[in-house]
Amino acid sequence: MVFGRSERRSAAAVEPVTLKILVAGGFGVGKTTLMSTVSEIKPLRTEEMLTEVGRPVDSLEGVEGKRTTTVAMDFGRISLRDDLVLYLFGTPGQDRFWFLWDELAQGALGAVVLADTRRLSDSFAAVDYFERRGIPFTVAVNCFDGADRYPPEVVSEALDLTPGTPVILCDVRERASAKEVLISVVEHAMAFASDQPEPVTT
């Protein structure tokens, strides 16, 4: 079929914008669950069973029931609107896989830092990583059953976040809640980009 000029313009108008978002955080904080909850395609997972050999390396304190771990990345996709698609890259949580983060961060618009109030210190490394590289991020506190809940401003102070960094409470098992996290990241990243000075040309 041959399209006329108006049809071609119409087809081009609905081409979606695609954005890359990282999903980061400590070991066992819910990254893979978030990806599984929101992805409209079957997520790519690189999970392996935890073994006795890994116990001296991977602390299970606070996540004693965890049986698997991401060893490379998770990948998923979600359409926020007809013209906006997010590609989601979940990072591994353990320190020994941090060498992968620089590759995964290439071209990322923004990031989610998932946090667990029972192990809030596990979020420090991810917060520092994105702050040092100037990648805008939202801290999403995953409200685990039985975990203490704190107002966003208390979490922000505990993590010593840069003013303006969003902190939201969520349950990554619920699609609507997880989707709100991603919307927050996109909105914050767009606002962050608009605040950056224009490059000087000569």
Side-chain angles (χ1 to χ4, degrees):
M1 179 181 290
V2 177
F3 290 101
R5 178 179 296 179
S6 61
E7 287 83 0
R8 288 197 299 270
R9 281 202 300 265
S10 177
V14 297
E15 272 300 311
V17 174
T18 58
L19 304 173
K20 180 179 181 180
I21 301 294
L22 297 186
V23 180
F27 180 53
V29 79
K31 301 182 294 296
T32 298
T33 301
L34 183 148
M35 303 277 286
S36 299
T37 299
V38 300
S39 181
E40 61 199 17
I41 62 173
K42 183 177 181 179
L44 168 67
R45 296 178 178 177
T46 58
E47 286 197 307
E48 296 291 342
M49 294 297 296
L50 290 166
T51 65
E52 289 297 324
V53 175
R55 285 188 180 276
V57 181
D58 300 323
S59 172
L60 297 181
E61 185 177 353
V63 286
E64 289 81 4
K66 189 168 175 60
R67 296 291 176 263
T68 61
T69 182
T70 299
V71 296
M73 69 172 190
D74 294 328
F75 173 77
R77 184 188 72 199
I78 179 174
S79 301
L80 291 185
R81 303 190 307 251
D82 289 342
D83 60 347
L84 179 59
V85 175
L86 303 185
Y87 288 111
L88 309 175
F89 291 79
T91 64
Q94 302 99 309
D95 294 351
R96 60 193 170 110
F97 295 121
W98 267 60
F99 66 92
L100 296 168
W101 280 47
D102 287 339
E103 292 294 330
L104 293 175
Q106 290 292 324
L109 173 80
V112 177
V113 175
L114 272 178
D116 179 353
T117 57
R118 299 168 301 178
R119 299 175 292 122
L120 201 57
S121 61
D122 289 358
S123 304
F124 290 154
V127 167
D128 289 344
Y129 182 91
F130 295 123
E131 285 186 342
R132 286 199 308 268
R133 287 159 180 78
I135 298 174
F137 63 94
T138 288
V139 172
V141 179
N142 194 9
C143 297
F144 285 90
D145 296 336
D148 291 333
R149 300 194 180 191
Y150 301 94
E153 57 271 20
V154 173
V155 176
S156 180
E157 183 177 356
L159 291 175
D160 193 25
L161 299 178
T162 300
T165 302
V167 177
I168 61 177
L169 307 183
C170 68
D171 184 339
V172 298
R173 299 169 298 182
E174 299 180 1
R175 181 176 174 81
S177 182
K179 191 173 179 180
E180 284 300 316
V181 171
L182 299 176
I183 292 171
S184 172
V185 174
V186 172
E187 291 177 343
H188 178 53
M190 293 300 189
F192 181 86
S194 67
D195 288 342
Q196 300 306 298
E198 292 290 333
V200 177
T201 58
T202 57

